[in-house]
Amino acid sequence: MRAARLSVVTAVATAAALTAVTACTAKSDAKDGDAIQVTAADSKCDTSVASVPAGQVTLKIENKGSKATEVEILFPDDRIVSEKENIGPGTKYTLTAEVKAGSYEIACRPGMKGHGVRQKLTVTGGSTARRNPKLDKAVADYREYAQEQADATVPLAETFARAIKAGDLEAAEKAYAPSRIGWERTEPVAESFGDIDPKTDTRADGLEQGQKWTGWHRLEKALWQDKKIGAEEKTLADQLVTDLKDWQTRVGKAAITPTSMANGAKELLDEVATGKVTGEEDRYSHTDLVDFKANVEGAQKAYELLKPVASKNDSALTTELDKQFTALNTLLDKYRTDKNGYDFVSYDKVTKDQRKELSDAVNALAEPLSKLAAAVVK
């Protein structure tokens, strides 16, 4: 789940307002291999260059603001090439991506909401480096995996919607968590489109001003907290299916590269750390551990596809990643209520100490996983 985006009209107005209060400078063109220095603050986003050659690009990000920020490389239509969410105040992060020739924007989104402050980025020429055929296969296999997950999600969402439309509270509650598994495994791909996630997976505290609350979590609240299914919920159930079918048809058009796979795997762990471990994601149903497991599985799938190349470039890294994935999965298995399925204990039954143990295991995996993108493009 990511913070929602503003509408196009509001976004333009917001961008104009931000431009009026801050200057976003671009100093000089980068040389091949040079990093782009990105300095984010509460009302600015300064970048060190306006253009880079096609191929690998590295963003050296520093957040000098008082709010957590998100930094993205965007296509002109707001599709995401690569991103890093939740960069805390006073912290730094290195983001590695691959870009083809064309026009892009680098966006900083203070508070991880809204249109943000943006810099134009021109990518020139074409990369002369030939990509490892194993990486091309990894991308193709991951694209197939993402499509499979979307294809499997829609019928599960339809089952969830049918139960709501039938007014069957118990059946709807039972169908809720399974309908989210495929989405949670491949969420970075869905998020790359920009407009689907806010409609399907936004929590109440992630809404933009004037945004109508729709999607899974709106229905989750109705089922578990309000204990009612009315006409509005039945309409929203149909809308959820429609939005997920939109996602299903667009998955094949997603911009996927080896580095976006690696960064996406890290983003899935960040999703766990900021939403699932805290119990904020599924706050009404307490089915957070289902989402947690799906996020880990999606991250592991991307890693396993990239591992043949990453292991040659950095065998110590892949050894550590294997170790930490095993440790986290073993820990999660302690909370299963069936041996091989997706039934987990209700997260409100997980103690503070147990949550700390889960958090520590996530952090132990997230640290080496943050190095995967650099390892696959060495």
Side-chain angles (χ1 to χ4, degrees), residues 3 21 37 196 224 246 248 260 277 353 376:
V21 298
Q37 307 295 325
I196 297 176
W224 274 273
D246 181 26
Q248 179 187 26
S260 76
V277 168
D353 287 344
V376 299

Side-chain angles (χ1 to χ4, degrees), residues 35-313:
I36 302 174
Q37 307 295 325
V38 180
T39 305
D42 292 346
S43 59
K44 73 174 185 177
C45 184
D46 293 342
T47 60
S48 60
V49 300
S51 65
V52 293
Q56 179 185 342
V57 61
T58 300
L59 272 57
K60 296 283 189 180
I61 304 163
E62 182 175 7
N63 182 7
K64 293 187 175 182
S66 63
K67 305 173 183 177
T69 195
E70 178 177 347
V71 175
E72 304 164 325
I73 303 173
L74 298 165
F75 289 107
D77 61 2
D78 264 13
R79 284 179 299 132
I80 297 171
V81 178
S82 195
E83 66 176 342
K84 175 65 178 92
E85 299 179 7
N86 204 34
I87 303 171
T91 61
K92 299 179 180 181
Y93 190 84
T94 299
L95 179 65
T96 303
E98 291 179 65
V99 288
K100 298 179 181 180
S103 298
Y104 300 83
E105 289 182 325
I106 294 176
C108 302
R109 302 175 63 225
M112 297 187 291
K113 290 187 177 183
H115 182 76
V117 190
R118 302 191 177 196
Q119 282 279 19
K120 299 291 186 183
L121 178 67
T122 301
V123 179
T124 60
S127 176
T128 58
R130 294 184 61 189
R131 192 159 73 190
N132 188 327
K134 290 182 179 180
L135 292 179
D136 289 331
K137 185 177 188 308
V139 169
D141 288 349
Y142 186 74
R143 189 181 297 279
E144 182 178 354
Y145 171 74
Q147 187 66 62
E148 288 172 350
Q149 296 306 309
D151 292 345
T153 296
V154 169
L156 292 171
E158 289 175 331
T159 298
F160 177 52
R162 280 196 299 271
I164 290 174
K165 291 167 70 177
D168 190 334
L169 192 71
E170 182 179 354
E173 288 182 345
K174 184 177 180 180
Y176 169 76
S179 75
R180 293 175 52 76
I181 292 171
W183 172 276
E184 292 292 329
R185 284 172 176 161
T186 59
E187 192 167 1
V189 175
E191 289 182 347
S192 72
F193 299 111
D195 61 333
I196 297 176
D197 186 88
K199 292 186 288 187
T200 58
D201 200 27
T202 298
R203 303 192 303 249
D205 52 354
L207 295 170
E208 296 286 355
Q209 186 174 1
Q211 180 189 356
K212 182 180 178 181
W213 192 16
T214 60
W216 271 300
H217 296 302
R218 166 64 179 81
L219 293 167
E220 178 199 8
K221 178 179 181 293
L223 296 174
W224 274 273
Q225 180 169 296
D226 302 337
K227 294 293 182 181
K228 72 177 184 67
I229 298 174
E232 182 179 6
E233 284 73 31
K234 294 177 182 181
T235 299
L236 290 174
D238 279 336
Q239 182 179 340
L240 175 63
V241 172
T242 297
D243 291 335
L244 290 173
K245 286 182 176 179
D246 181 26
W247 162 56
Q248 179 187 26
T249 62
R250 292 161 69 179
V251 165
K253 302 173 185 177
I256 299 174
T257 67
T259 51
S260 76
M261 289 169 58
N263 290 328
K266 175 59 166 58
E267 286 297 321
L268 285 171
L269 264 291
D270 291 344
E271 287 273 345
V272 173
T274 60
K276 281 70 174 185
V277 168
T278 63
E280 295 177 59
E281 181 76 10
D282 297 296
R283 62 189 64 173
Y284 311 107
S285 64
H286 305 300
T287 56
D288 303 85
L289 286 172
V290 178
D291 285 6
F292 190 140
K293 179 63 175 177
N295 283 159
V296 174
E297 287 180 337
Q300 189 164 9
K301 179 66 175 183
Y303 162 62
E304 293 290 351
L305 291 173
L306 295 169
K307 183 179 174 180
V309 172
S311 62
K312 287 191 175 182
N313 293 338

